[in-house]
Amino acid sequence: MRCSVPELDQHANLNITFRYNAVCRIGAVRGEIHRVLENIVIVLVETTHPGNIGATARAMKTMGLSSLRMVNPKIFPSADATARAAGADDILVTAEVYDKISD
C-alpha cells in the first residue's frame, strides 16, 4: 500500500501531513497482518463433541482467522456446533472435512 500526502497549499498545517502519513502506515500494517492470518489453518482431529468445533470457530473469528479443517469429526455438521459458534457460522460453512489426516 502506497500513501502520499494530497497536495496542500503552502499555509497547510504540518500536523495534517503527519496524521495522514500515520494513518497510511497503520493501514499498511493492518494489510500485512491480514495477509499473515490468511495463511494460518486450524486443524481439529477426531473431535468428539460438536460444541468444541463451534467454540473453536468462535475463537478463530475473534482472532481474525478463517480457515478451519477437520479430520474425521464424530458429529458435523451439528446444531450444537452452530450454537456454540455464536456468530462465526461463516467459518463452519467454509470448513473443510477430511476422512484421514493424510488427505
Side-chain angles (χ1 to χ4, degrees):
M1 175 178 181
R2 245 187 122 169
C3 292
S4 59
V5 178
E7 287 188 32
L8 301 171
D9 64 32
Q10 58 186 331
H11 303 291
N13 186 337
L14 288 177
N15 194 25
I16 293 171
T17 303
F18 173 77
R19 287 182 183 174
Y20 184 81
N21 284 332
V23 168
C24 287
R25 278 190 230 108
I26 290 169
V29 169
R30 285 184 182 156
E32 184 61 30
I33 290 170
H34 181 71
R35 281 189 289 281
V36 169
L37 293 178
E38 283 179 335
N39 292 320
I40 296 174
V41 176
I42 303 300
V43 180
L44 299 177
V45 180
E46 297 183 351
T47 311
T48 57
H49 191 280
N52 291 335
I53 298 169
T56 299
R58 186 178 70 243
M60 288 174 61
K61 184 87 167 190
T62 299
M63 293 184 283
L65 303 172
S66 59
S67 184
L68 174 62
R69 296 182 186 161
M70 292 175 276
V71 178
N72 195 27
K74 185 173 182 179
I75 304 169
F76 185 80
S78 162
D80 195 16
T82 303
R84 293 282 304 271
D89 305 23
D90 57 322
I91 292 176
L92 296 179
V93 168
T94 60
E96 298 175 24
V97 180
Y98 298 91
D99 293 327
K100 299 180 290 186
I101 201 158
S102 59
D103 294 342

